[in-house]
Amino acid sequence: MSESATSAVPGMTVASAFAGMRSVTPVVFRAGCPDCRGSFELAASALRLAIGATSRTTFYSFTCPGCGISVRKPAGERIIELLTGGGVSTLRLHSAL
């Protein structure tokens, strides 16, 4: 990409467009393990979100860093919004017809 003026905004260069940006703090999510009762913070990359046709098939999952078990918890609308906004990988489940 060149640093010449863009056609969308006359007089703006790539350098000036990004000049005010700072490094972004990674998003972390607080989670708890129902098995070992550990409480910890997880990066978005440690979580997976599955969105199904019903509330029973919509959940997020992760591996507990304390005890190593696979944890699966239901995800309502607010949880879905927070996880997707924080960069968590999402899988959309489709039901068989």
Side-chain angles (χ1 to χ4, degrees), residues 65-88:
C67 67
I69 70 157
S70 180
V71 178
R72 178 175 160 165
K73 294 187 174 186
E77 287 183 37
R78 181 69 179 141
I79 297 295
I80 293 169
E81 182 181 323
L82 291 170
L83 294 177
T84 55
V88 172

Side-chain angles (χ1 to χ4, degrees), residues 3-58:
E3 290 193 22
S4 62
T6 64
S7 60
V9 181
M12 179 166 293
T13 65
V14 172
S16 64
F18 290 100
M21 294 185 76
R22 299 185 183 137
S23 63
V24 178
T25 304
V27 175
V28 293
F29 297 94
R30 293 200 41 81
C33 177
D35 201 48
C36 72
R37 304 267 186 224
S39 180
F40 39 84
E41 292 183 342
L42 295 172
S45 61
L47 295 156
R48 297 289 178 261
L49 174 63
I51 300 176
T54 68
S55 60
R56 295 184 74 195
T57 57
T58 301

